[in-house]
Amino acid sequence: MFMLLSYLLWLASSLSVEKMLIFVSKTAPNLFCFSTTNDNYFKKFLSSQNGFFCFKKPSSRHIFESSNLHSSLTTTSLSTSLTKTIDHKTVDYNIRICRFCEVGNLNKAMELLYSSQKSELEATTYCSILQLCAELKSLEDGKRVHSIICDNGIEVDGVLGSKLVFMYVTCGALKEGRRVFNNIVNEKVFIWNLMINEYSKIGNIKESIYLFKEMIGLGIEVNSYTFSFVLKCFAAQRNVKEGELVHGYLLKLGFGCYNTVVNSLIAFYFKCRRVESARKLFDELNDKDVVSWNSMINGYVANGLAERGLEVFKVMLYSGFKVDLATLVTVLAGCANCGALTIGRAVHTIGIKSCFNKEITFNNTLLDMYSKCGDLDGAVRVFEKIGDKSVVSWTSMIAGYAREGVSGGSIRLFREMERGGVEPDVFAITSILHACACEGFLEIGKDVHNYIKENNMQSSLYVSNALMDMYAKCGSMEDAELVFSEIPVKDIVSWNTMIGGYSKNSFPNEALNLFVAMLQELEPDGRTMACILPACASLAALDRGREIHGYILRNGYSSDRHIANAIVDMYVKSGVLVLARLLFDSIPAKDLISWTVMIAGYGMHGFGREAIATFNDMRNAGVEPDEVSFISILYACSHSGLVDEGWRFFNLMRYEFKIEPKLEHYACMVDLLSRTGNLSKAYRFIEMMPIPPDATVWGALLCGCRIHHDVKLAEKVAEHVFELEPENTGYYVLLANIYAEAEKWEEMKRLRVKISQRGLKKNPGCSWIEIKGKVNIFVAGGSSHPQAKRIESLLKLLKQKMKEEGYFPKTKFALINTDEMEKEVALCGHSEKLAMAFGILSLPPGKTIRVSKNLRVCRDCHEMAKFMSRTASREIVLRDSNRFHHFKDGHCSCRGFW
């Protein structure tokens, strides 16, 4: 006690009374007044009502005494040098408010603040209460304190001003904090750093950088945190140039050896995709800490270089550095990105040994890693061991099931999550919508949509885009359109989803119209190009496709391999095979899709030998074919009559590449045998199939029966087809054609009655041709086109010339049993004839006529096209539902195989 009192006396001689009272209140708050007889050290200490004591420095002058222990203290002279009088209540208010602030009692502190007088409180007291307002995020109380400061005329200087700024910023009132900040003269780096960091948090990077530059201009001394904050800003902007200037500036000031600064520089360079610059800084850093290693691993993973990130992790372990939770979480993310399941399992073991398996973040990332690496069982085991599952845990598992194609498991988990009282977030909702999209679960998707409406989640653009994607992939474009129309502010993903949905669901005109509308709202991106090109390909809209190709070249999107493949596909399906090949050859790194598009292109144009050569080139390039590649090459063999080659590829697929044939492969082989006249072999091949044949397989044989006029086999095959797809009118029409060619009118009549009884209607023939960017559509027998009379006149003239040259229309293809004149009129109205005639009338001499049709071209129209190409000296490219026909000088590229 003696030592304590001696120390207090020393403090009294060097500190102000107020500051010493605060010190005593902290060190001995329950110390009561006591006395001693030794006047050489002190005279008397008097207690106040709240338990604090007040002391006075010994003096030769009169020492005061209190008449009542619980009464207010009287004022006393401290010394000859201390003439200012101290009011006990003033000291009392300051101490008591500070004491309440220390224990976190904001209400009591505010009560005392209101009851105090203007002159009673010190700036430090206001600072204490503002600090507590900040800690408790009590903005309203903070504003009240600010108001009292202003009403009392207290000068808001650097310290008090800084505390006010801190309170406002911490409570989320950045605008109010900035107003105070602008009105104070402050050279404290802390408050500048606070403002810079806070603006960057809300995404106002421009203002953060402005403050940094103003700070430098005013000569405020920066510290390592300043550079860390501002480098984050330049990283967010991908502003390499200014970031490098800051790098030079901090080196000049000697901050190049600060770990925090170098770590921030590493993160900056990685964010700006300057990977080698980041690596150089890391290698030159002598005193690496765990943050340094984590920055390198995370930087590589974020830049799509997960394998290099994992190598850094291995070196980190070999160097003896102790990993932390952030290390393992980042490494697991890298394993998920590159499928490194073995390393992921090792990290799992390290996590268990380090007791991180109790951390929900670690478990969720671990769950995601197993899921993305294809180990669904491992993911399930982790999931089941998580005690308190968060919504992230459920979402990761739902997404894992969806990714593996087990959409039923996703839906089951989603419902289980709901029953468990875990409220799904937008990521869970989008994951389940993705599962519905993958499996075509339209009704379940609609149930999820209802849940979204009930919980008011449709305001999330992320959710709306996922809804549109689900509806589009389930084939319900009307529902997708409704969602799209209700989005107030659409982003690029919204537009791309709809355009891609229209393209994939065979609404190419709608896709092109929406693309035009999009151009009025915002700039398309590479994904837009990849979505709109298939629409151009579907319509064979070559002029529009060329315009989009030009846009791609001008904006540098052609380096994207997906877009390059889509361009090749567009030219292939628009009939410009030579240009498609040139563009294909210009792709520097061809993937399997690139090769398959080109093989399929040769096949549909009837160039089977070229398709085989391309297939062989693909294998020589080290690219292994998949089941789709084999469908393309078998299709090419079929449409070129290459029987031996077709069998070779079929056996190659089964025995060398171990790919089990699917129905599409069997259909190609049946088509190949049927087209080449091997009808009996084709029939036996079907009977020997290890899987039940579908209507497509039998339909291929039915087409062969038509080519080779085998009515008896056709009737037998038709029974199988009608049993499998009784509502498909195309097969009835095909059999009707077979009867018509054989002039079996009675059988055809019975078939028509059967069609009528079933209420079936034949899909109308439809052809289209693009002229000057506009798609002109013609329907069989239609006369609504503005130039219908000119088209009819041209066709009559061509028909007359054909007769003069000894060609007579094959009226049996009219499929009606009536007089020859009516049959000729019906044939003249076939949609492809109308479109080709319009092309001759509308396009300049020498311009290739490009026509597309929704059905297979009939023989009469095929003959007419050959005659047109010779008579009009035009090249005609006709794409029907099955393949391309290139007509030139009276010949067709198909050589009868269609």
Side-chain angles (χ1 to χ4, degrees):
M1 183 64 73
F2 177 79
M3 293 296 294
L4 172 62
L5 294 175
S6 299
Y7 183 57
L8 291 174
L9 287 172
W10 176 81
L11 284 174
S13 65
S14 58
L15 298 178
S16 68
V17 173
E18 291 82 5
K19 290 183 179 178
M20 201 183 75
L21 284 169
I22 294 170
F23 172 82
V24 174
S25 71
K26 292 181 179 178
T27 55
N30 297 316
L31 190 64
F32 287 92
C33 178
F34 56 89
S35 63
T36 180
T37 57
N38 193 341
D39 267 358
N40 292 327
Y41 297 99
F42 55 83
K43 286 291 182 181
K44 183 180 283 188
F45 291 85
L46 298 176
S47 173
S48 65
Q49 293 179 12
N50 64 355
F52 292 105
F53 64 86
C54 177
F55 61 90
K56 303 292 179 261
K57 185 177 178 180
S59 172
S60 58
R61 302 180 60 180
H62 176 72
I63 305 299
F64 68 86
E65 294 185 1
S66 174
S67 61
N68 190 328
L69 187 62
H70 300 288
S71 65
S72 299
L73 295 177
T74 58
T75 57
T76 306
S77 174
L78 296 178
S79 69
T80 53
S81 63
L82 185 62
T83 59
K84 184 179 177 181
T85 60
I86 304 298
D87 183 353
H88 168 258
K89 287 195 175 182
T90 301
V91 175
D92 191 53
Y93 274 117
N94 283 294
I95 294 172
R96 293 177 69 190
I97 289 172
C98 291
R99 178 64 185 278
F100 282 126
C101 289
E102 287 173 4
V103 297
N105 194 335
L106 183 58
N107 291 335
K108 286 289 185 182
M110 290 299 295
E111 286 176 12
L112 286 175
L113 181 66
Y114 283 126
S115 61
S116 65
Q117 297 301 312
K118 172 182 176 181
S119 60
E120 291 180 338
L121 299 182
E122 299 175 347
T124 53
T125 304
Y126 289 114
C127 288
S128 295
I129 199 165
L130 286 170
Q131 176 71 31
L132 183 58
C133 290
E135 290 172 3
L136 298 179
K137 300 289 192 297
S138 181
L139 179 60
E140 291 306 313
D141 285 317
K143 286 181 176 179
R144 292 188 187 103
V145 176
H146 189 185
S147 178
I148 291 171
I149 290 170
C150 294
D151 291 344
N152 291 343
I154 306 297
E155 182 184 356
V156 180
D157 60 2
V159 176
L160 183 56
S162 296
K163 190 63 70 174
L164 270 169
V165 173
F166 175 76
M167 182 276 296
Y168 277 123
V169 170
T170 306
C171 292
L174 183 57
K175 287 184 180 179
E176 287 85 348
R178 182 59 183 270
R179 277 196 289 269
V180 177
F181 178 83
N182 289 340
N183 291 323
I184 63 174
V185 178
N186 202 315
E187 297 183 356
K188 291 185 179 296
V189 67
F190 160 75
I191 205 67
W192 286 88
N193 288 348
L194 175 70
M195 296 299 292
I196 291 169
N197 191 40
E198 205 63 30
Y199 274 112
S200 69
K201 282 181 183 178
I202 64 170
N204 194 344
I205 305 301
K206 186 177 178 182
E207 193 62 23
S208 291
I209 294 171
Y210 168 79
L211 285 172
F212 171 71
K213 291 179 178 178
E214 186 180 14
M215 178 184 183
I216 299 300
L218 292 172
I220 307 297
E221 187 176 344
V222 297
N223 61 16
S224 60
Y225 296 105
T226 313
F227 288 115
S228 295
F229 293 148
V230 80
L231 283 169
K232 286 180 183 177
C233 295
F234 287 125
Q237 284 188 331
R238 305 287 199 276
N239 193 334
V240 180
K241 185 177 179 180
E242 293 208 32
E244 287 178 331
L245 290 175
V246 172
H247 187 178
Y249 182 60
L250 67 87
L251 288 176
K252 183 180 177 182
L253 295 180
F255 285 97
C257 59
Y258 282 62
N259 268 31
T260 54
V261 175
V262 177
N263 291 340
S264 297
L265 276 169
I266 291 171
F268 160 74
Y269 281 117
F270 268 125
K271 197 80 172 179
C272 295
R273 299 195 176 279
R274 296 281 293 272
V275 174
E276 294 310 316
S277 298
R279 181 72 203 212
K280 184 179 178 183
L281 279 168
F282 178 77
D283 289 340
E284 292 174 353
L285 184 62
N286 294 323
D287 188 23
K288 299 179 179 70
D289 57 14
V290 68
V291 178
S292 312
W293 291 95
N294 289 351
S295 297
M296 285 301 297
I297 298 167
N298 185 60
Y300 278 131
V301 172
N303 280 275
L305 302 168
E307 292 87 351
R308 292 180 68 178
L310 297 182
E311 288 301 318
V312 172
F313 172 64
K314 292 176 185 176
V315 175
M316 179 184 182
L317 292 179
Y318 296 149
S319 301
F321 276 89
K322 188 176 180 181
V323 299
D324 61 7
L325 179 60
T327 314
L328 299 189
V329 168
T330 305
V331 171
L332 285 172
C335 293
N337 290 352
C338 65
L341 181 59
T342 303
I343 298 175
R345 285 173 175 158
V347 173
H348 187 178
T349 303
I350 294 171
I352 292 172
K353 289 180 179 178
S354 303
C355 296
F356 291 135
N357 58 320
K358 297 176 183 177
E359 298 286 342
I360 189 67
T361 307
F362 177 78
N363 286 324
N364 288 341
T365 314
L366 188 64
L367 175 61
D368 190 58
M369 182 278 295
Y370 277 119
S371 171
K372 288 180 178 176
C373 289
D375 187 358
L376 197 57
D377 292 336
V380 170
R381 285 193 295 271
V382 174
F383 181 75
E384 289 174 346
K385 289 179 181 178
I386 299 175
D388 187 15
K389 299 178 180 67
S390 68
V391 67
V392 177
S393 313
W394 289 96
T395 302
S396 297
M397 204 63 231
I398 289 169
Y401 274 117
R403 196 178 296 111
E404 290 298 308
V406 191
S407 296
S410 295
I411 294 162
R412 175 182 57 78
L413 272 180
F414 180 74
R415 288 172 175 161
E416 189 178 332
M417 177 176 69
E418 282 188 287
R419 287 194 298 270
V422 179
E423 187 175 337
D425 60 6
V426 293
F427 299 105
I429 290 294
T430 51
S431 294
I432 198 65
L433 286 172
H434 175 66
C436 294
C438 291
E439 293 297 320
F441 292 154
L442 179 59
E443 293 307 313
I444 297 173
K446 286 183 175 181
D447 290 340
V448 177
H449 192 177
N450 290 332
Y451 179 91
I452 290 167
K453 291 176 182 176
E454 291 167 3
N455 291 274
N456 196 30
M457 299 177 74
Q458 66 269 28
S459 59
S460 167
L461 185 59
Y462 194 55
V463 171
S464 294
N465 289 341
L467 264 174
M468 284 190 297
D469 182 62
M470 182 275 294
Y471 280 126
K473 287 177 179 173
C474 290
S476 182
M477 287 308 298
E478 289 184 3
D479 288 309
E481 287 170 17
L482 185 61
V483 175
F484 182 76
S485 66
E486 291 175 349
I487 300 175
V489 181
K490 304 168 181 68
D491 66 357
I492 191 74
V493 177
S494 312
W495 291 94
N496 289 349
T497 301
M498 283 302 294
I499 292 169
Y502 279 132
S503 292
K504 290 173 184 175
N505 285 284
S506 302
F507 294 107
N509 282 313
E510 287 80 356
L512 285 169
N513 291 336
L514 191 63
F515 176 69
V516 173
M518 176 188 176
L519 294 176
Q520 309 302 316
E521 300 288 334
L522 74 166
E523 285 289 319
D525 62 2
R527 180 65 181 169
T528 317
M529 301 297 104
C531 290
I532 196 61
L533 283 168
C536 298
S538 179
L539 286 171
L542 182 60
D543 290 343
R544 183 61 60 86
R546 280 174 171 159
E547 290 174 8
I548 293 170
H549 187 188
Y551 182 90
I552 289 168
L553 292 173
R554 288 192 299 274
N555 289 275
Y557 293 133
S558 55
S559 59
D560 187 314
R561 193 163 54 195
H562 298 292
I563 296 174
N565 292 340
I567 293 171
V568 173
D569 186 59
M570 184 272 293
Y571 282 116
V572 161
K573 290 177 180 174
S574 297
V576 193
L577 196 59
V578 174
L579 182 54
R581 180 69 203 209
L582 287 172
L583 291 168
F584 168 79
D585 289 337
S586 70
I587 299 175
K590 302 174 184 65
D591 61 4
L592 181 59
I593 295 174
S594 312
W595 290 100
T596 303
V597 166
M598 204 64 236
I599 293 165
Y602 278 127
M604 68 176 66
H605 282 269
F607 298 107
R609 297 291 179 189
E610 289 80 356
I612 292 171
T614 304
F615 187 91
N616 292 334
D617 289 342
M618 176 180 73
R619 292 191 63 191
N620 292 334
V623 179
E624 287 199 358
D626 64 356
E627 57 186 44
V628 179
S629 305
F630 277 108
I631 291 172
S632 298
I633 193 63
L634 291 174
Y635 176 95
C637 293
S638 170
H639 283 267
S640 296
L642 304 174
V643 180
D644 293 339
E645 290 81 353
W647 276 116
R648 181 169 64 83
F649 284 116
F650 187 74
N651 291 326
L652 184 73
M653 174 183 68
R654 294 178 66 188
Y655 301 117
E656 184 171 333
F657 288 95
K658 308 299 181 185
I659 297 174
E660 197 61 34
K662 295 186 176 179
L663 286 168
E664 294 87 348
H665 302 102
Y666 286 112
C668 286
M669 290 306 297
V670 172
D671 191 56
L672 172 60
L673 293 170
S674 301
R675 286 177 185 279
T676 53
N678 297 296
L679 300 179
S680 298
K681 286 184 179 180
Y683 191 84
R684 288 196 299 272
F685 181 81
I686 293 173
E687 289 183 320
M688 294 174 66
M689 281 174 55
I691 55 177
D694 64 354
T696 305
V697 174
W698 287 110
L701 181 53
L702 189 61
C703 289
C705 292
R706 179 193 173 187
I707 294 169
H708 299 284
H709 313 293
D710 192 331
V711 179
K712 187 176 180 180
L713 181 59
E715 290 176 331
K716 188 176 179 181
V717 172
E719 290 179 7
H720 293 285
V721 176
F722 296 154
E723 182 181 353
L724 291 166
E725 290 190 9
E727 305 299 319
N728 191 329
T729 57
Y731 294 120
Y732 291 96
V733 172
L734 186 56
L735 183 59
N737 277 320
I738 294 171
Y739 283 140
E741 290 174 12
E743 298 185 354
K744 291 183 175 291
W745 304 114
E746 288 300 319
E747 287 84 348
M748 183 175 174
K749 183 179 179 180
R750 286 196 297 272
L751 183 60
R752 292 180 66 181
V753 170
K754 188 176 182 180
I755 294 172
S756 178
Q757 288 174 344
R758 288 181 175 271
L760 303 176
K761 291 184 179 180
K762 178 182 178 291
N763 292 328
C766 173
S767 298
W768 56 92
I769 181 172
E770 184 190 28
I771 305 290
K772 295 181 179 178
K774 181 184 177 182
V775 177
N776 297 266
I777 300 173
F778 297 89
V779 180
S783 58
S784 61
H785 196 275
Q787 298 194 42
K789 290 185 178 180
R790 290 184 66 203
I791 293 170
E792 184 180 350
S793 298
L794 177 60
L795 286 174
K796 284 182 179 178
L797 179 62
L798 289 170
K799 183 177 67 175
Q800 185 61 37
K801 285 185 178 181
M802 290 174 73
K803 284 184 178 180
E804 290 172 2
E805 295 187 15
Y807 172 85
F808 293 94
K810 293 180 172 54
T811 53
K812 59 187 176 182
F813 298 117
L815 302 185
I816 52 176
N817 185 16
T818 183
D819 60 65
E820 297 300 307
M821 182 60 70
E822 288 184 14
K823 288 182 180 181
E824 282 192 38
V825 172
L827 285 171
C828 257
H830 280 195
S831 62
E832 57 266 52
K833 286 194 183 80
L834 300 174
M836 288 187 291
F838 179 65
I840 292 173
L841 291 170
S842 304
L843 293 171
K847 182 85 170 177
T848 301
I849 298 168
R850 302 180 188 279
V851 175
S852 298
K853 185 181 180 182
N854 65 330
L855 303 175
R856 188 174 297 193
V857 63
C858 75
R859 287 192 180 276
D860 185 73
C861 290
H862 194 267
E863 292 300 315
M864 181 69 148
K866 288 196 290 186
F867 183 79
M868 282 180 167
S869 71
R870 181 168 59 84
T871 305
S873 299
R874 293 291 191 101
E875 183 177 352
I876 300 173
V877 178
L878 173 61
R879 190 186 79 184
D880 67 8
S881 62
N882 204 40
R883 60 165 296 152
F884 271 92
H885 302 264
H886 291 256
F887 300 99
K888 189 175 182 180
D889 299 328
H891 301 283
C892 180
S893 63
C894 73
R895 301 185 300 279
F897 287 100
W898 93 92

